[in-house]
Structure formats: C-alpha cells, structure tokens
Coordinates of all heavy atoms in Angstrom, one line a residue:
M1 N -59.3 207.9 2.7 CA -59.8 208.0 1.4 C -60.2 206.6 0.9 O -59.5 205.7 1.0 CB -58.7 208.6 0.4 CG -59.2 208.7 -1.0 SD -57.9 209.6 -1.9 CE -58.9 209.9 -3.4
P2 N -61.5 206.5 0.3 CA -61.9 205.2 -0.2 C -61.1 204.7 -1.3 O -60.5 205.5 -2.1 CB -63.4 205.5 -0.6 CG -63.5 206.9 -0.8 CD -62.4 207.6 0.1
Q3 N -60.9 203.4 -1.4 CA -60.2 202.8 -2.5 C -60.9 203.0 -3.8 O -62.2 202.9 -3.9 CB -60.0 201.4 -2.3 CG -59.1 200.7 -3.3 CD -58.8 199.3 -3.0 OE1 -59.2 198.8 -2.0 NE2 -58.0 198.6 -3.8
L4 N -60.2 203.4 -4.9 CA -60.9 203.6 -6.2 C -61.2 202.3 -6.9 O -60.4 201.4 -6.8 CB -59.9 204.5 -7.1 CG -59.6 205.9 -6.6 CD1 -58.6 206.5 -7.6 CD2 -60.8 206.7 -6.3
T5 N -62.4 202.2 -7.4 CA -62.7 201.1 -8.2 C -62.0 201.2 -9.6 O -61.6 202.2 -10.0 CB -64.2 201.0 -8.4 OG1 -64.6 202.1 -9.2 CG2 -65.0 200.9 -7.1
D6 N -62.0 200.1 -10.3 CA -61.4 200.1 -11.6 C -62.0 201.1 -12.5 O -61.4 201.9 -13.2 CB -61.5 198.7 -12.3 CG -60.5 197.7 -11.6 OD1 -59.6 198.2 -10.8 OD2 -60.7 196.5 -11.8
R7 N -63.4 201.1 -12.6 CA -64.1 202.0 -13.5 C -63.9 203.5 -13.0 O -63.6 204.4 -13.8 CB -65.6 201.7 -13.6 CG -66.2 202.6 -14.7 CD -67.7 202.3 -15.0 NE -68.0 200.9 -15.3 CZ -67.9 200.3 -16.4 NH1 -67.5 201.0 -17.5 NH2 -68.2 199.1 -16.6
L8 N -64.0 203.7 -11.7 CA -63.8 205.0 -11.2 C -62.4 205.5 -11.5 O -62.2 206.7 -12.0 CB -64.0 205.0 -9.7 CG -64.2 206.4 -9.0 CD1 -65.1 206.3 -7.8 CD2 -62.9 207.0 -8.7
S9 N -61.4 204.7 -11.4 CA -60.0 205.1 -11.8 C -59.9 205.4 -13.3 O -59.3 206.4 -13.6 CB -59.0 203.9 -11.5 OG -59.0 203.7 -10.1
R10 N -60.6 204.6 -14.1 CA -60.5 204.9 -15.5 C -61.2 206.2 -15.9 O -60.8 207.0 -16.7 CB -61.1 203.7 -16.3 CG -60.3 202.5 -16.3 CD -60.8 201.4 -17.3 NE -62.2 201.1 -17.2 CZ -62.7 200.1 -16.5 NH1 -61.9 199.3 -15.7 NH2 -64.0 199.9 -16.5
I11 N -62.4 206.4 -15.3 CA -63.1 207.7 -15.5 C -62.2 208.9 -15.1 O -62.1 209.8 -15.8 CB -64.5 207.7 -14.7 CG1 -65.4 206.7 -15.4 CG2 -65.1 209.1 -14.7 CD1 -66.7 206.5 -14.6
H12 N -61.6 208.8 -13.9 CA -60.7 209.8 -13.4 C -59.6 210.1 -14.4 O -59.4 211.2 -14.8 CB -60.2 209.4 -12.0 CG -59.3 210.5 -11.5 ND1 -57.9 210.5 -11.8 CD2 -59.5 211.5 -10.6 CE1 -57.4 211.5 -11.1 NE2 -58.3 212.1 -10.4
D13 N -59.0 209.0 -14.9 CA -57.8 209.2 -15.8 C -58.3 209.8 -17.1 O -57.6 210.6 -17.7 CB -57.1 207.8 -16.0 CG -56.4 207.3 -14.7 OD1 -56.3 208.1 -13.8 OD2 -56.0 206.2 -14.7
L14 N -59.4 209.3 -17.7 CA -59.9 209.8 -18.9 C -60.2 211.3 -18.9 O -59.9 212.0 -19.8 CB -61.1 209.0 -19.4 CG -60.8 207.5 -19.9 CD1 -62.1 206.7 -19.9 CD2 -60.1 207.6 -21.2
L15 N -61.0 211.6 -17.8 CA -61.4 213.1 -17.7 C -60.2 214.0 -17.4 O -60.1 215.1 -17.9 CB -62.4 213.2 -16.6 CG -63.8 212.5 -16.9 CD1 -64.7 212.7 -15.7 CD2 -64.4 213.0 -18.2
T16 N -59.2 213.5 -16.6 CA -58.0 214.3 -16.3 C -57.2 214.5 -17.6 O -56.8 215.6 -17.9 CB -57.2 213.6 -15.3 OG1 -57.9 213.5 -14.1 CG2 -55.9 214.4 -15.0
E17 N -57.0 213.4 -18.4 CA -56.3 213.5 -19.6 C -56.9 214.4 -20.6 O -56.3 215.2 -21.3 CB -56.0 212.1 -20.2 CG -55.2 212.2 -21.5 CD -54.9 210.8 -22.0 OE1 -54.8 209.8 -21.2 OE2 -54.9 210.6 -23.2
A18 N -58.3 214.3 -20.8 CA -59.0 215.0 -21.8 C -59.2 216.5 -21.5 O -59.2 217.3 -22.4 CB -60.3 214.4 -22.0
F19 N -59.4 216.8 -20.2 CA -59.8 218.2 -19.8 C -58.9 218.9 -18.8 O -59.1 220.1 -18.6 CB -61.2 218.1 -19.3 CG -62.2 217.5 -20.2 CD1 -62.7 216.2 -19.9 CD2 -62.5 218.1 -21.4 CE1 -63.6 215.6 -20.8 CE2 -63.4 217.4 -22.3 CZ -63.9 216.2 -22.0
E20 N -57.9 218.3 -18.3 CA -57.0 218.9 -17.3 C -57.8 219.8 -16.3 O -57.6 221.0 -16.2 CB -56.0 219.7 -18.0 CG -55.0 218.9 -18.9 CD -54.0 219.7 -19.5 OE1 -53.8 220.9 -19.3 OE2 -53.2 219.1 -20.4
P21 N -58.8 219.1 -15.6 CA -59.6 219.9 -14.7 C -58.9 220.5 -13.5 O -57.9 220.0 -13.0 CB -60.6 218.8 -14.2 CG -59.9 217.5 -14.3 CD -59.0 217.7 -15.5
V22 N -59.5 221.6 -13.0 CA -59.0 222.3 -11.8 C -59.8 221.7 -10.6 O -59.4 221.9 -9.5 CB -59.1 223.8 -11.9 CG1 -58.2 224.4 -13.0 CG2 -60.6 224.3 -12.1
E23 N -60.9 221.1 -10.9 CA -61.7 220.4 -9.9 C -62.3 219.1 -10.5 O -62.8 219.2 -11.6 CB -62.8 221.3 -9.3 CG -63.6 220.7 -8.2 CD -64.6 221.7 -7.7 OE1 -64.5 222.9 -7.9 OE2 -65.5 221.2 -7.0
L24 N -62.2 218.0 -9.8 CA -62.8 216.8 -10.3 C -63.2 215.9 -9.1 O -62.4 215.6 -8.3 CB -61.8 216.0 -11.2 CG -62.3 214.7 -11.7 CD1 -63.5 214.9 -12.6 CD2 -61.1 214.0 -12.5
E25 N -64.5 215.6 -9.0 CA -65.1 214.8 -8.0 C -65.9 213.7 -8.7 O -66.7 214.0 -9.5 CB -66.0 215.5 -7.0 CG -65.3 216.6 -6.3 CD -66.2 217.5 -5.4 OE1 -67.4 217.1 -5.2 OE2 -65.8 218.6 -5.1
I26 N -65.6 212.4 -8.3 CA -66.3 211.3 -8.9 C -66.8 210.4 -7.8 O -66.0 210.1 -6.9 CB -65.4 210.5 -9.9 CG1 -64.7 211.4 -10.9 CG2 -66.2 209.4 -10.5 CD1 -63.6 210.8 -11.6
S27 N -68.0 210.0 -7.9 CA -68.5 209.0 -6.9 C -69.3 207.9 -7.6 O -70.0 208.1 -8.6 CB -69.4 209.7 -5.8 OG -70.5 210.3 -6.4
D28 N -69.1 206.7 -7.0 CA -69.9 205.5 -7.5 C -71.2 205.5 -6.8 O -71.2 205.2 -5.6 CB -69.0 204.3 -7.3 CG -69.7 203.0 -7.9 OD1 -70.9 203.0 -8.2 OD2 -68.9 202.0 -8.0
D29 N -72.3 205.7 -7.5 CA -73.6 205.7 -6.9 C -74.4 204.4 -7.2 O -75.6 204.3 -7.0 CB -74.4 206.9 -7.5 CG -73.8 208.2 -7.2 OD1 -73.1 208.4 -6.2 OD2 -74.0 209.2 -8.0
S30 N -73.7 203.4 -7.6 CA -74.3 202.2 -8.1 C -75.2 201.5 -7.0 O -76.3 201.0 -7.3 CB -73.3 201.2 -8.6 OG -72.5 201.7 -9.7
A31 N -74.7 201.5 -5.8 CA -75.5 200.9 -4.7 C -76.8 201.5 -4.5 O -77.8 200.8 -4.1 CB -74.7 200.9 -3.4
K32 N -77.0 202.8 -4.8 CA -78.2 203.5 -4.7 C -79.2 203.0 -5.7 O -80.4 203.3 -5.6 CB -78.0 205.0 -4.8 CG -77.2 205.6 -3.7 CD -77.0 207.1 -4.0 CE -76.0 207.7 -3.1 NZ -75.8 209.1 -3.4
H33 N -78.7 202.4 -6.8 CA -79.6 202.0 -7.9 C -79.8 200.5 -8.0 O -80.3 200.0 -9.1 CB -79.0 202.6 -9.2 CG -78.9 204.1 -9.2 ND1 -80.0 204.9 -9.5 CD2 -77.9 204.9 -8.8 CE1 -79.7 206.1 -9.4 NE2 -78.4 206.2 -9.0
A34 N -79.4 199.8 -7.0 CA -79.6 198.3 -7.1 C -81.0 198.0 -7.4 O -82.0 198.5 -6.8 CB -79.2 197.7 -5.7
G35 N -81.2 197.1 -8.3 CA -82.6 196.7 -8.8 C -83.2 197.5 -9.8 O -84.2 197.2 -10.4
H36 N -82.6 198.7 -10.1 CA -83.1 199.6 -11.2 C -82.5 199.1 -12.5 O -81.6 198.4 -12.6 CB -82.7 201.0 -10.9 CG -83.2 201.6 -9.7 ND1 -82.9 202.8 -9.2 CD2 -84.1 201.1 -8.8 CE1 -83.5 203.1 -8.1 NE2 -84.3 202.1 -7.8
A37 N -83.1 199.7 -13.6 CA -82.6 199.4 -15.0 C -81.2 199.7 -15.1 O -80.7 200.8 -14.6 CB -83.5 200.2 -16.0
G38 N -80.4 198.9 -15.7 CA -79.0 199.1 -16.0 C -78.1 198.8 -14.8 O -76.9 198.7 -15.0
A39 N -78.6 198.5 -13.6 CA -77.8 198.2 -12.5 C -77.4 196.7 -12.6 O -78.1 195.9 -13.1 CB -78.6 198.4 -11.2
R40 N -76.1 196.5 -12.2 CA -75.6 195.1 -12.2 C -75.2 194.7 -10.8 O -74.8 195.6 -10.0 CB -74.4 195.0 -13.2 CG -74.8 195.2 -14.6 CD -73.7 194.9 -15.6 NE -72.4 195.4 -15.0 CZ -71.4 195.7 -15.8 NH1 -71.5 195.7 -17.1 NH2 -70.2 196.1 -15.3
P41 N -75.3 193.5 -10.4 CA -74.9 193.1 -9.0 C -73.5 193.5 -8.6 O -73.3 193.8 -7.5 CB -75.1 191.6 -9.1 CG -76.0 191.3 -10.2 CD -75.8 192.4 -11.2
E42 N -72.6 193.5 -9.6 CA -71.2 193.8 -9.3 C -71.0 195.4 -9.2 O -69.9 195.8 -8.8 CB -70.2 193.2 -10.3 CG -70.4 193.7 -11.7 CD -71.4 192.9 -12.5 OE1 -72.2 192.2 -12.0 OE2 -71.4 193.1 -13.8
G43 N -72.0 196.1 -9.5 CA -71.9 197.6 -9.4 C -71.2 198.2 -10.6 O -71.2 197.7 -11.7
E44 N -70.6 199.4 -10.3 CA -69.8 200.2 -11.3 C -70.7 200.6 -12.5 O -70.2 200.5 -13.7 CB -68.6 199.5 -11.7 CG -67.6 199.3 -10.6 CD -66.2 198.8 -11.1 OE1 -66.1 198.0 -12.0 OE2 -65.2 199.3 -10.5
T45 N -72.0 200.9 -12.3 CA -72.9 201.3 -13.4 C -73.4 202.7 -13.4 O -73.7 203.2 -14.4 CB -74.1 200.3 -13.4 OG1 -74.7 200.4 -12.1 CG2 -73.7 198.9 -13.7
H46 N -73.4 203.3 -12.2 CA -74.0 204.6 -12.0 C -73.0 205.5 -11.2 O -72.6 205.2 -10.1 CB -75.3 204.5 -11.2 CG -76.4 203.8 -11.9 ND1 -76.4 202.5 -12.1 CD2 -77.6 204.3 -12.4 CE1 -77.5 202.1 -12.7 NE2 -78.2 203.2 -12.9
Y47 N -72.7 206.6 -11.8 CA -71.7 207.5 -11.3 C -72.2 209.0 -11.3 O -73.0 209.4 -12.1 CB -70.4 207.5 -12.0 CG -69.6 206.2 -11.8 CD1 -69.9 205.0 -12.5 CD2 -68.6 206.1 -10.9 CE1 -69.3 203.8 -12.2 CE2 -67.9 205.0 -10.6 CZ -68.3 203.8 -11.3 OH -67.6 202.7 -11.0
S48 N -71.6 209.8 -10.4 CA -71.8 211.2 -10.4 C -70.4 211.9 -10.6 O -69.4 211.4 -10.0 CB -72.4 211.7 -9.0 OG -73.7 211.2 -8.8
V49 N -70.4 212.9 -11.4 CA -69.1 213.6 -11.7 C -69.4 215.1 -11.6 O -70.3 215.6 -12.2 CB -68.6 213.3 -13.1 CG1 -67.5 214.2 -13.5 CG2 -68.2 211.8 -13.2
K50 N -68.5 215.7 -10.9 CA -68.4 217.2 -10.9 C -67.0 217.5 -11.4 O -66.0 217.1 -10.9 CB -68.6 217.8 -9.5 CG -68.5 219.3 -9.5 CD -68.7 219.8 -8.1 CE -68.5 221.4 -8.1 NZ -68.6 221.9 -6.7
I51 N -67.0 218.3 -12.5 CA -65.8 218.7 -13.2 C -65.8 220.1 -13.5 O -66.8 220.6 -14.1 CB -65.5 217.8 -14.4 CG1 -64.2 218.1 -15.0 CG2 -66.6 217.8 -15.4 CD1 -63.7 217.1 -16.1
V52 N -64.7 220.8 -13.2 CA -64.5 222.2 -13.6 C -63.2 222.3 -14.4 O -62.2 221.9 -13.9 CB -64.4 223.1 -12.4 CG1 -64.2 224.6 -12.8 CG2 -65.7 223.0 -11.5
S53 N -63.3 222.8 -15.6 CA -62.1 222.8 -16.5 C -62.1 224.0 -17.4 O -63.2 224.4 -18.0 CB -62.1 221.5 -17.4 OG -61.1 221.6 -18.3
P54 N -61.0 224.6 -17.6 CA -60.8 225.7 -18.6 C -61.2 225.2 -20.0 O -61.5 226.0 -20.8 CB -59.4 226.1 -18.5 CG -58.9 225.6 -17.2 CD -59.7 224.4 -16.9
A55 N -61.1 223.9 -20.3 CA -61.4 223.4 -21.6 C -62.9 223.6 -22.0 O -63.2 223.6 -23.1 CB -61.1 221.9 -21.6
F56 N -63.7 223.9 -21.0 CA -65.1 224.1 -21.2 C -65.5 225.6 -21.5 O -66.7 225.9 -21.8 CB -66.0 223.6 -20.0 CG -65.8 222.2 -19.7 CD1 -65.8 221.7 -18.4 CD2 -65.5 221.2 -20.7 CE1 -65.6 220.4 -18.1 CE2 -65.4 219.9 -20.5 CZ -65.4 219.5 -19.1
E57 N -64.5 226.5 -21.4 CA -64.8 227.9 -21.6 C -65.3 228.1 -23.0 O -64.8 227.6 -24.0 CB -63.5 228.7 -21.4 CG -63.2 228.8 -19.9 CD -61.9 229.7 -19.7 OE1 -61.5 230.5 -20.6 OE2 -61.3 229.5 -18.6
G58 N -66.4 228.9 -23.1 CA -67.1 229.2 -24.4 C -68.0 228.2 -24.9 O -68.6 228.4 -26.0
L59 N -68.1 227.0 -24.2 CA -69.0 226.0 -24.7 C -70.4 226.1 -23.9 O -70.4 226.5 -22.8 CB -68.4 224.6 -24.4 CG -67.1 224.2 -25.0 CD1 -66.6 222.8 -24.6 CD2 -67.2 224.3 -26.6
S60 N -71.4 225.7 -24.6 CA -72.7 225.6 -24.0 C -72.8 224.4 -23.1 O -72.0 223.5 -23.2 CB -73.8 225.6 -25.1 OG -73.8 224.3 -25.7
R61 N -73.8 224.4 -22.2 CA -74.0 223.3 -21.3 C -74.1 222.0 -22.1 O -73.6 220.9 -21.8 CB -75.2 223.5 -20.5 CG -75.4 222.5 -19.4 CD -76.6 222.9 -18.4 NE -77.8 223.2 -19.1 CZ -78.8 222.3 -19.4 NH1 -78.6 221.0 -19.0 NH2 -79.9 222.6 -20.0
V62 N -74.9 222.0 -23.2 CA -75.0 220.8 -24.1 C -73.7 220.4 -24.7 O -73.4 219.2 -24.8 CB -76.1 221.0 -25.1 CG1 -76.2 219.9 -26.1 CG2 -77.5 221.2 -24.5
Q63 N -72.9 221.3 -25.2 CA -71.6 221.0 -25.8 C -70.7 220.4 -24.8 O -70.0 219.4 -25.1 CB -71.0 222.3 -26.4 CG -71.7 222.8 -27.6 CD -71.2 224.1 -28.1 OE1 -71.0 225.0 -27.2 NE2 -71.0 224.3 -29.4
I64 N -70.7 220.9 -23.5 CA -69.9 220.4 -22.5 C -70.3 218.9 -22.2 O -69.5 218.0 -22.1 CB -69.9 221.2 -21.2 CG1 -69.3 222.6 -21.4 CG2 -69.3 220.5 -20.0 CD1 -69.5 223.6 -20.3
Q65 N -71.6 218.7 -22.1 CA -72.1 217.4 -21.8 C -71.7 216.4 -22.9 O -71.2 215.3 -22.6 CB -73.6 217.4 -21.6 CG -74.2 216.0 -21.2 CD -75.6 216.1 -20.9 OE1 -76.3 217.1 -21.0 NE2 -76.2 214.9 -20.6
R66 N -71.9 216.8 -24.1 CA -71.5 215.9 -25.3 C -70.0 215.6 -25.3 O -69.6 214.5 -25.5 CB -71.9 216.6 -26.6 CG -73.4 216.5 -26.8 CD -73.8 217.2 -28.1 NE -75.2 217.1 -28.3 CZ -75.9 217.9 -29.1 NH1 -75.2 218.8 -29.8 NH2 -77.2 217.8 -29.3
T67 N -69.2 216.6 -25.0 CA -67.8 216.4 -24.9 C -67.4 215.4 -23.9 O -66.5 214.5 -24.1 CB -67.1 217.8 -24.7 OG1 -67.5 218.7 -25.8 CG2 -65.6 217.6 -24.7
V68 N -68.0 215.5 -22.7 CA -67.6 214.6 -21.6 C -68.1 213.2 -21.9 O -67.4 212.2 -21.7 CB -68.2 215.1 -20.2 CG1 -68.1 214.1 -19.2 CG2 -67.6 216.4 -19.8
M69 N -69.3 213.1 -22.4 CA -69.9 211.8 -22.8 C -69.0 211.1 -23.8 O -68.8 209.9 -23.8 CB -71.3 211.9 -23.2 CG -72.3 212.4 -22.2 SD -72.3 211.4 -20.7 CE -73.6 212.2 -19.8
L70 N -68.5 211.9 -24.8 CA -67.7 211.3 -25.8 C -66.4 210.8 -25.2 O -65.9 209.7 -25.6 CB -67.4 212.4 -26.9 CG -66.6 211.9 -28.1 CD1 -67.3 210.8 -28.8 CD2 -66.4 213.1 -29.1
A71 N -65.8 211.6 -24.3 CA -64.6 211.2 -23.6 C -64.7 209.9 -22.9 O -63.8 209.1 -22.7 CB -64.1 212.3 -22.7
L72 N -66.0 209.6 -22.4 CA -66.3 208.4 -21.6 C -67.0 207.3 -22.5 O -67.5 206.3 -21.9 CB -67.1 208.7 -20.4 CG -66.4 209.7 -19.4 CD1 -67.4 210.0 -18.3 CD2 -65.2 209.1 -18.9
Q73 N -67.0 207.4 -23.8 CA -67.7 206.5 -24.6 C -67.4 205.0 -24.4 O -68.2 204.2 -24.3 CB -67.6 206.8 -26.1 CG -68.4 206.0 -27.0 CD -69.9 206.2 -26.7 OE1 -70.4 207.3 -26.7 NE2 -70.6 205.1 -26.5
Q74 N -66.1 204.8 -24.2 CA -65.6 203.4 -24.0 C -66.2 202.8 -22.7 O -66.6 201.6 -22.7 CB -64.1 203.3 -24.0 CG -63.6 201.9 -23.8 CD -62.1 201.8 -23.9 OE1 -61.4 202.7 -24.3 NE2 -61.6 200.6 -23.4
E75 N -66.4 203.7 -21.7 CA -66.9 203.2 -20.5 C -68.4 202.9 -20.6 O -68.9 201.9 -20.1 CB -66.7 204.2 -19.3 CG -65.3 204.4 -19.0 CD -64.6 203.1 -18.5 OE1 -65.2 202.3 -17.8 OE2 -63.4 202.9 -18.9
F76 N -69.1 203.7 -21.4 CA -70.6 203.5 -21.7 C -70.7 202.2 -22.5 O -71.6 201.4 -22.3 CB -71.2 204.7 -22.4 CG -71.6 205.8 -21.5 CD1 -70.8 206.9 -21.5 CD2 -72.7 205.7 -20.7 CE1 -71.1 208.0 -20.6 CE2 -73.0 206.8 -19.8 CZ -72.3 207.9 -19.8
D77 N -69.8 201.9 -23.4 CA -69.8 200.8 -24.2 C -69.5 199.5 -23.4 O -69.9 198.4 -23.9 CB -68.8 200.8 -25.4 CG -69.1 201.9 -26.4 OD1 -70.3 202.4 -26.4 OD2 -68.3 202.2 -27.2
T78 N -68.9 199.6 -22.2 CA -68.6 198.4 -21.4 C -69.3 198.4 -20.1 O -68.8 197.7 -19.2 CB -67.0 198.4 -21.2 OG1 -66.6 199.6 -20.5 CG2 -66.3 198.3 -22.5
G79 N -70.4 199.0 -20.0 CA -71.2 198.8 -18.8 C -71.6 200.0 -18.0 O -72.5 199.9 -17.1
L80 N -71.0 201.2 -18.2 CA -71.4 202.4 -17.5 C -72.8 202.7 -18.0 O -73.1 202.8 -19.2 CB -70.5 203.5 -17.8 CG -70.9 204.9 -17.2 CD1 -71.0 204.8 -15.7 CD2 -69.8 205.9 -17.6
H81 N -73.8 202.8 -17.1 CA -75.2 203.0 -17.5 C -75.7 204.4 -17.4 O -76.4 204.9 -18.2 CB -76.1 202.1 -16.7 CG -77.5 202.2 -16.9 ND1 -78.1 201.7 -18.1 CD2 -78.5 202.8 -16.2 CE1 -79.4 202.0 -18.1 NE2 -79.7 202.7 -17.0
A82 N -75.2 205.1 -16.3 CA -75.7 206.4 -16.0 C -74.7 207.3 -15.4 O -73.8 206.9 -14.6 CB -76.9 206.4 -15.1
L83 N -74.7 208.6 -15.8 CA -73.7 209.6 -15.3 C -74.5 210.8 -15.0 O -75.1 211.5 -15.9 CB -72.7 209.9 -16.4 CG -71.5 210.8 -16.0 CD1 -70.6 210.1 -15.0 CD2 -70.8 211.2 -17.2
A84 N -74.5 211.2 -13.7 CA -75.0 212.5 -13.3 C -73.9 213.5 -13.4 O -72.8 213.3 -12.7 CB -75.5 212.4 -11.8
L85 N -74.0 214.5 -14.2 CA -72.9 215.3 -14.6 C -73.1 216.8 -14.2 O -74.2 217.4 -14.5 CB -72.6 215.3 -16.1 CG -71.5 216.1 -16.6 CD1 -70.1 215.7 -16.0 CD2 -71.4 216.0 -18.1
K86 N -72.2 217.4 -13.4 CA -72.2 218.8 -13.2 C -70.8 219.3 -13.7 O -69.8 218.9 -13.2 CB -72.3 219.1 -11.7 CG -73.6 218.8 -11.1 CD -73.7 219.2 -9.7 CE -75.0 218.9 -9.1 NZ -75.1 219.3 -7.7
A87 N -70.8 220.0 -14.8 CA -69.6 220.4 -15.5 C -69.7 221.9 -15.8 O -70.7 222.4 -16.3 CB -69.4 219.6 -16.8
S88 N -68.6 222.6 -15.7 CA -68.5 224.0 -16.0 C -67.1 224.4 -16.2 O -66.1 223.7 -15.8 CB -69.2 224.8 -14.9 OG -68.4 224.7 -13.7
A89 N -66.9 225.6 -16.8 CA -65.6 226.3 -16.8 C -65.4 227.0 -15.5 O -66.4 227.3 -14.8 CB -65.6 227.3 -17.9
P90 N -64.2 227.3 -15.1 CA -64.0 228.0 -13.8 C -64.7 229.4 -13.9 O -64.8 230.0 -14.9 CB -62.5 228.2 -13.8 CG -61.9 227.2 -14.7 CD -63.0 227.0 -15.8
K91 N -65.1 229.8 -12.7 CA -65.8 231.1 -12.6 C -64.7 232.2 -12.6 O -63.6 232.0 -12.1 CB -66.5 231.2 -11.3 CG -67.6 230.1 -11.2 CD -68.9 230.7 -11.4 CE -70.0 229.7 -11.0 NZ -70.5 228.9 -12.1
A92 N -64.9 233.3 -13.3 CA -63.9 234.3 -13.4 C -63.8 235.1 -12.2 O -64.6 235.1 -11.3 CB -64.3 235.3 -14.6

C-alpha cells in the first residue's frame, strides 16, 4: 500500500469523520497536473475522491458536492486546488 501523504491523510480523516463512508478511495493526481494552473512543485494540489455514504441519502448531486467541499474547506484554503469527486449514497 502506498504511503499516505499529509494532505491525503487529512482528507481521509475529514471525510471519514464527517460522513462515515462505507467506501472511500482517495488518490493524489498532482503529478498528472505538473505545470498546470494551481499545481505546485511539491504536489498535493490535485486529488480524486470516490465516496459512498449513507449521509448522502436524499441529497441531490449538487448538495452532496457542496457538503463534501465544505468539509474540505480548510484544505482548499491551504493549497488544495482541484478535487475530482464521485460521491453517492449506497445503492439499495
């Protein structure tokens, strides 16, 4: 298993605490964006998240996205530039 970066660990902890997901996958995609807007040489700027949580039941896709982004606001304020998000409630 790859070693977790500091930001990746924080994202994992924040999302786990806020949403108690039944599925959570996070990947640091920063290397793919080197030289693009918002990319920094040290990385930790671009991430992909797949999260499935009962906390999202009854919420629209936009409401889920806003809720996740709000939970990660401190990370955006400190250098997180982009988040590719796939989020949903568990399928019945």
Side-chain angles (χ1 to χ4, degrees):
M1 178 175 190
Q3 185 174 1
L4 300 180
T5 64
D6 288 345
R7 188 177 309 275
L8 196 150
S9 295
R10 290 191 308 267
I11 290 171
H12 181 276
D13 292 348
L14 288 165
L15 294 177
T16 299
E17 183 178 323
F19 304 112
E20 298 181 6
V22 295
E23 184 178 344
L24 180 58
E25 298 174 17
I26 306 166
S27 61
D28 184 346
D29 300 332
S30 300
K32 297 177 188 175
H33 298 277
H36 296 174
R40 296 187 319 208
E42 63 274 14
E44 295 191 322
T45 56
H46 294 71
Y47 287 81
S48 294
V49 170
K50 179 180 179 185
I51 182 171
V52 179
S53 172
F56 302 145
E57 288 181 17
L59 299 179
S60 71
R61 186 172 55 92
V62 172
Q63 289 171 317
I64 293 170
Q65 184 173 0
R66 286 180 180 157
T67 302
V68 170
M69 297 301 185
L70 184 60
L72 297 177
Q73 186 61 54
Q74 182 176 346
E75 294 302 319
F76 281 104
D77 291 346
T78 59
L80 177 58
H81 177 73
L83 185 72
L85 179 61
K86 292 184 180 180
S88 65
K91 305 257 190 263

